[in-house]
Amino acid sequence: MSIQIITDSGADLPQSYIREHQIAFLPLVVHWNGQDYEDGITIEPKQVYDAMRQGHTVKTAQPSPLAMKELFLPYAKENRPCLYIAFSSKLSGTYQTAMAVRSELLGEYPEFRLTIIDSKCASLGQGLAVMKAVELAKQNTPYNLLCETIEAYCRHMEHIFTVDNLDYLARGGRISKTAAAFGGLLNIKPLLHVEDGALIPIEKWRGRKKVLKRMVELMGERGNDLQKQTIGISHADDEETALELKQMIEETHGCTRFFLSDIGSAIGAHAGPGTIALFFLNKYIEI
């Protein structure tokens, strides 16, 4: 690829995919048990979920400006055009820091083309946008068109997810404690989505089966040309439920292309074990 695609671990793409497609990768920081780990590299999601189940507190941080500069610098020196698809600015300071590092680099390398997109997405919402960017880059799509297409792709990405316990999101400051009370009743499963990059509770349902059924219904209400899309499903140590959701979507909407992955340590530290997330476009983008 003449255009270098860059993303961070907020995209929840497997390292095997990152390596296969030569994506430049920026891990978020996971702090647990007195140590800092690189999300997706030196800590696995299962370790985080087991720790959370045992009552441990797991914290996260954005990558340092130095780590970003070290990642971007080789491409600036060779004047290779880059597109960085970043974790939502409403959920992390990663995008803002990347923009500051970009400004610094452009002072040294004014010809360097580095577009940074605030995806306003998380997990495979961001990951599917990265996958589309890789596909377009391999087709030698012109730089400006590629960037414009991915910006539109991110704008039309739907996130629908449920968590077992909203307290995890509240502890990390991702939602308010008032919103966390939304799911406080016995066996009430909250349904959330992402609106302008922020997590918003939208409904509550009694029991797992009903909330999964509602996710599939919302997909039909919001989605467009679903059979043409790659549908993303990510899960926090609950592959069985993710596969159950996949089967429901196949039977209801006739979708055949799916990408399933674990929710990574950085997002999982806030969402908590048992989270199930669904991603698709509300407007199919063809190029």
Side-chain angles (χ1 to χ4, degrees):
M1 295 183 293
S2 59
I3 299 169
Q4 179 62 50
I5 306 302
I6 304 171
T7 197
D8 51 59
S9 62
D12 284 346
L13 289 170
Q15 282 299 305
S16 56
Y17 183 92
I18 296 291
R19 290 191 296 269
E20 178 185 353
H21 297 283
Q22 300 178 328
I23 299 166
F25 180 74
L26 193 62
L28 278 73
V29 178
V30 177
H31 185 79
W32 170 56
N33 205 22
Q35 296 186 54
D36 284 338
Y37 299 89
E38 293 183 315
D39 182 21
I41 297 177
T42 59
I43 192 168
E44 295 297 323
K46 187 73 165 68
Q47 295 172 264
V48 170
Y49 299 132
D50 287 345
M52 294 175 78
R53 290 185 180 108
Q54 294 165 14
H56 292 272
T57 298
V58 182
K59 297 183 178 181
T60 63
Q62 62 177 293
S64 69
L66 178 60
M68 290 188 184
K69 186 170 183 179
E70 289 178 346
L71 183 70
F72 299 156
L73 188 57
Y75 305 117
K77 288 181 176 178
E78 66 180 72
N79 198 24
R80 183 173 182 178
C82 296
L83 170 61
Y84 174 27
I85 303 165
F87 193 20
S88 171
S89 62
K90 297 288 182 70
L91 302 174
S92 170
T94 304
Y95 168 75
Q96 290 88 343
T97 301
M99 290 297 289
V101 172
R102 176 183 180 276
S103 294
E104 180 183 341
L105 279 173
L106 289 180
E108 303 172 38
Y109 302 92
E111 302 301 317
F112 180 38
R113 286 187 292 173
L114 170 60
T115 297
I116 302 175
I117 293 177
D118 177 4
S119 70
K120 296 189 178 179
C121 296
S123 190
L124 279 184
Q126 178 183 345
L128 290 174
V130 173
M131 292 169 66
K132 186 65 175 179
V134 168
E135 175 189 330
L136 294 177
K138 289 186 174 180
Q139 293 171 358
N140 294 317
T141 304
Y143 182 74
N144 289 341
L145 178 58
L146 188 152
C147 294
E148 290 168 6
T149 302
I150 298 305
E151 284 184 348
Y153 206 85
C154 292
R155 283 198 306 274
H156 291 289
M157 185 63 66
E158 292 282 346
H159 304 57
I160 300 174
F161 67 103
T162 185
V163 300
D164 259 359
N165 190 336
L166 273 170
D167 288 341
Y168 291 123
L169 289 173
R171 287 178 202 170
R174 265 50 186 182
I175 64 170
S176 68
K177 291 182 179 179
T178 302
F182 193 82
L185 298 176
L186 183 64
N187 205 31
I188 292 295
K189 299 300 179 186
L191 200 59
L192 304 92
H193 73 166
V194 170
E195 187 175 299
D196 193 34
L199 306 182
I200 307 292
I202 51 173
E203 297 176 2
K204 55 185 177 181
W205 292 85
R206 186 174 295 278
R208 193 73 151 179
K209 294 288 186 183
K210 288 183 179 179
V211 80
L212 292 179
K213 182 181 178 182
R214 181 58 179 150
M215 290 173 78
V216 177
E217 288 175 352
L218 278 173
M219 186 180 186
E221 294 170 12
R222 297 184 177 189
N224 173 263
D225 287 330
L226 292 171
Q227 296 83 6
K228 296 180 181 179
Q229 300 185 35
T230 296
I231 308 302
I233 302 175
S234 60
H235 66 91
D237 202 22
D238 192 357
E239 185 180 20
E240 182 179 348
T241 302
L243 291 172
E244 181 182 352
L245 178 61
K246 174 179 178 286
Q247 183 177 351
M248 293 170 68
I249 293 168
E250 288 171 333
E251 293 172 353
T252 304
H253 299 304
C255 301
T256 58
R257 291 188 294 168
F258 292 84
F259 193 92
L260 276 65
S261 78
D262 296 319
I263 294 175
S265 301
I267 293 178
H270 299 283
T275 298
I276 299 291
L278 171 63
F279 310 90
F280 57 91
L281 294 170
N282 57 36
K283 179 182 178 182
Y284 183 66
I285 298 170
E286 195 163 10
I287 178 173

